[in-house]
Amino acid sequence: MTDLLDVDRIDSIQGRMDAAVRTVSAVDGALATSVKATVAESVQPLVEELRSLSLIVNAQKATVSVLANTTAKGTPFEDEVVERLQRWGWGFGLEVTHCGGDNQAGDLIITLRDPLSSASVSIAIECKDHGAPSGRKPIADAMLRAMTQRESTRAIYLSRNSEGLAKETGEWAEGTTAAGPWVATTFDNLFTAVRFSIAMDKVERVKDSQSAVDAEALLAQASRVRDSLKRIATMQRHATSIRSSADAVSDEASNLRSEVSDALRVVEESLATLRRQAEAA
């Protein structure tokens, strides 16, 4: 009986129990094998679901990557631009044609016909919904292709936001190609760009027609538009800087609140400890 209860003997009850437990719980033991099999069987459906989800995600990433190098990349943005222009321009006869699906330069064409004459303004719009900034040279090249392809007299390079325009371009830029003048700006300035392009086209017609209208005065107003847009862009940059600073101040205040709370907690705990010690004494 003493030998059977002797923990130092391997043939004692305790020794045999230890040996049995080690055997069962070993890496390749019966218990480990059973647990592995059970867990594997239980999680197998989840593994299959994750594998399927991974394949779907990879396929979507591949699709996005391919579309990013084609004109199809701007389709959702183009639809948004078309919708806004149609709601805004139908009242004064603005015709909007979405032609970006043909994979050619110029995603939209807007036309305004003069009911009192045969003259009309045709503007090609190139929509860009990406973050790669474009400078004046690539924009001018794109505008020339768009105006040539769509047979328009003017063009607008429309970026979703300022990230798509280089610093030299800013949020408003103008230029001229062999096919006609262009404007580059952001989605926020869409209506301004359209109105400006239409107005400048009419001013040019007035200058050529020897009209009594003071074309130089109208051009001076166009300069006011340009200057105001530059000031708006500057104000927006300042506002962004202010918001960033305000966010930093808010974060710092939150951190200080946490520090205050932690300090008070330490003080309260110390006082509680002293109170308990005093009560015990």
Side-chain angles (χ1 to χ4, degrees):
M1 183 64 70
T2 300
D3 291 343
L4 288 174
L5 298 177
D6 187 354
V7 296
D8 295 328
R9 296 176 61 92
I10 60 174
D11 58 346
S12 65
I13 294 175
Q14 293 91 333
R16 292 178 181 275
M17 286 288 291
D18 289 341
V21 169
R22 284 195 298 271
T23 301
V24 172
S25 61
V27 175
D28 56 349
L31 179 59
T33 302
S34 177
V35 170
K36 289 179 181 178
T38 302
V39 172
E41 182 179 358
S42 300
V43 302
Q44 185 61 31
L46 178 60
V47 172
E48 294 298 331
E49 288 293 334
L50 289 174
R51 185 177 292 111
S52 299
L53 181 60
S54 176
L55 292 174
I56 293 173
V57 171
N58 289 335
Q60 290 177 339
K61 287 182 178 179
T63 301
V64 170
S65 177
V66 171
L67 290 178
N69 296 317
T70 68
T71 55
K73 64 183 180 298
T75 298
F77 182 41
E78 293 167 21
D79 292 339
E80 191 174 349
V81 174
V82 169
E83 183 180 356
R84 289 195 66 181
L85 284 174
Q86 287 178 336
R87 288 202 310 264
W88 172 72
W90 73 271
F92 51 89
L94 192 69
E95 299 177 7
V96 182
T97 303
H98 187 189
C99 45
D102 60 4
N103 293 333
Q104 299 295 327
D107 302 312
L108 283 73
I109 297 293
I110 56 177
T111 305
L112 182 63
R113 305 185 189 282
D114 188 344
L116 301 180
S117 67
S118 59
S120 64
V121 182
S122 178
I123 305 171
I125 300 180
E126 184 77 8
C127 302
K128 295 297 181 181
D129 187 10
H130 58 74
S134 296
R136 295 185 63 89
K137 179 61 168 61
I139 289 176
D141 292 343
M143 296 294 88
L144 177 59
R145 290 193 299 271
M147 283 185 277
T148 302
Q149 177 66 35
R150 304 306 177 187
E151 298 181 350
S152 63
T153 55
R154 291 180 175 268
I156 297 174
Y157 185 95
L158 192 68
S159 174
R160 165 72 78 175
N161 48 49
S162 58
E163 294 179 358
L165 298 172
K167 290 184 179 180
E168 63 171 349
T169 306
E171 295 189 8
W172 182 274
E174 298 173 48
T176 302
T177 70
W182 54 264
V183 170
T185 189
T186 61
F187 187 45
D188 290 339
N189 293 326
L190 170 61
F191 298 155
T192 301
V194 173
R195 293 175 63 190
F196 181 86
S197 298
I198 293 173
M200 293 306 298
D201 186 86
K202 291 184 178 181
V203 169
E204 293 298 326
R205 294 179 189 275
V206 166
K207 288 175 60 179
D208 295 339
S209 65
Q210 302 297 322
S211 172
V213 176
D214 188 350
E216 294 301 323
L218 296 179
L219 290 174
Q221 296 302 315
S223 295
R224 287 184 59 194
V225 171
R226 298 186 184 100
D227 293 340
S228 297
L229 286 168
K230 291 178 181 178
R231 292 174 62 188
I232 289 173
T234 301
M235 292 174 65
Q236 287 178 336
R237 286 194 296 272
H238 290 326
T240 300
S241 177
I242 291 172
R243 282 194 293 269
S244 299
S245 299
D247 290 340
V249 171
S250 179
D251 292 340
E252 183 64 19
S254 298
N255 294 333
L256 289 174
R257 289 191 189 95
S258 298
E259 292 183 11
V260 169
S261 179
D262 291 341
L264 288 174
R265 178 179 54 78
V266 172
V267 171
E268 291 167 349
E269 291 176 353
S270 299
L271 291 174
T273 300
L274 290 174
R275 185 178 63 254
R276 287 194 296 270
Q277 292 175 350
E279 291 174 351

